[in-house]
Amino acid sequence: MSELTHFNEQGRAKMVDVSEKYDTVRTARAKTSILLNEAIYHQIKDGSNKKGDVFAVAQVAGIMSAKNTAQIIPMCHPLALSGVDIEFEWNVNKEASHYEVILYAVVKTKGPTGVEMEALTAASAAALTIYDMCKASGKEMVIGPTMLLEKTGGKSGDYIRS
């Protein structure tokens, strides 16, 4: 196991000093999902949600949250992101009444630390936004699981979830 680096000599939390690390290109891809009911599925598909275009608003929320991850995750470094993208994919089985949106967030930077937390935050915020915009039509929505799928760059090397 690697040494824990987020604690000072008194055993209290600290932000890791990355000033000695080299800038490298870093990417991360995260995934989450949200289970919906049939009415919400149709609202999103045909654009009839009273709050607006659900995927467009969720996309903006995901991008904004990636850019602001350091504001809500205490030990994250503020990063200049090179790019953020949110993708939506339907997983529908009408016979089984299964209506699911799968969300992917891809984040990229060139810097001294990775963007895994930014990708996970973006995916989560996008899913939460779908919930917020659709909750009037069903509060039984389920978000998750949320996971890192892959990351590139940095001292620890690349990672791909098997």
Side-chain angles (χ1 to χ4, degrees), residues 100-151:
E100 179 182 28
V101 179
I102 301 169
L103 300 91
Y104 298 96
V106 179
V107 180
K108 184 175 183 179
T109 193
K110 183 175 183 183
T113 189
V115 288
E116 298 92 359
M117 294 308 301
E118 287 74 10
L120 289 161
T121 301
S124 298
L128 287 166
T129 300
I130 293 172
Y131 187 100
D132 179 54
M133 293 188 72
C134 300
K135 66 183 181 269
S137 298
K139 293 174 181 55
E140 73 280 0
M141 291 176 279
V142 176
I143 296 173
T146 304
M147 66 194 80
L148 180 69
L149 294 177
E150 59 187 276
K151 75 116 188 146

Side-chain angles (χ1 to χ4, degrees), residues 2 6 23 27 30 52 57 59 67 100 102 123 131 140 149:
S2 61
H6 285 73
D23 284 356
T27 64
V57 176
Q59 179 126 18
K67 292 167 38 175
E100 179 182 28
I102 301 169
Y131 187 100
E140 73 280 0
L149 294 177

Side-chain angles (χ1 to χ4, degrees), residues 3-70:
E3 177 185 329
L4 296 176
T5 58
H6 285 73
F7 296 101
N8 66 18
E9 292 173 1
Q10 295 178 328
R12 298 192 187 282
K14 72 171 186 174
M15 180 189 274
V16 173
D17 180 1
V18 296
S19 61
E20 300 297 319
K21 294 173 80 177
Y22 294 107
D23 284 356
T24 61
V25 174
R26 316 232 184 184
T27 64
R29 186 168 185 251
K31 172 186 175 183
T32 195
S33 63
I34 183 167
L35 292 171
L36 319 163
N37 64 33
E38 185 176 5
I40 294 170
Y41 165 74
H42 287 294
Q43 283 179 13
I44 295 172
K45 287 290 279 185
D46 59 19
S48 62
N49 184 284
K50 292 180 182 176
K51 292 186 177 182
D53 183 333
V54 174
F55 284 175
V57 176
Q59 179 126 18
V60 172
I63 292 167
M64 288 176 61
S65 68
K67 292 167 38 175
N68 288 287
T69 298

